Amino acid sequence: MPQLRGIWCDRGEWDVLQRLGLDTHIEDIFSGDWQAQMRALEQADRERQALREKMGPELAAQIFELADRLEQHPNGDFGVAYLMRRFEE
């Protein structure tokens, strides 16, 4: 495992890295940027799961869809601001 360059793998981890095709990207995986991206993805996943639990799967799916549509719309920020004002009242 000379590609690891001093990074220690526990039992089976190297095999998993190889199966995922990540064994040639060790430097990327352990970079600060990559780890920050992974933390952001994990946080977003936890947030989506919490929304499903609090709102129920059907309403959560509608919220996710609306968020995607607003994000793609050139004036989506106006729609978000409207929704936020509705809850400030």
Side-chain angles (χ1 to χ4, degrees):
M1 291 180 244
Q3 303 93 321
L4 291 177
R5 295 188 176 94
I7 296 170
W8 182 264
C9 285
D10 289 335
R11 183 181 307 182
E13 289 178 339
W14 179 249
D15 295 331
V16 171
L17 290 172
Q18 287 181 311
R19 275 196 305 273
L20 295 174
L22 298 175
D23 57 310
T24 58
H25 302 281
I26 296 298
E27 294 86 9
D28 298 331
I29 293 171
F30 291 100
S31 73
D33 289 342
W34 188 86
Q35 289 183 17
Q37 285 180 318
M38 292 302 103
R39 281 191 297 275
L41 288 173
E42 288 173 4
Q43 175 61 31
D45 189 49
R46 284 192 299 272
E47 189 175 61
R48 291 174 69 88
Q49 184 57 36
L51 188 63
R52 283 185 200 96
E53 290 170 5
K54 291 187 181 293
M55 306 303 289
E58 187 176 317
L59 184 54
Q62 291 173 358
I63 293 169
F64 298 145
E65 180 184 351
L66 179 58
D68 290 341
R69 292 178 68 186
L70 288 170
E71 192 173 48
Q72 299 301 316
H73 194 282
N75 297 310
D77 57 338
F78 187 80
V80 171
Y82 170 78
L83 291 171
M84 291 178 68
R85 279 192 305 277
R86 289 283 306 262
F87 288 92
E88 289 175 355
E89 297 174 355

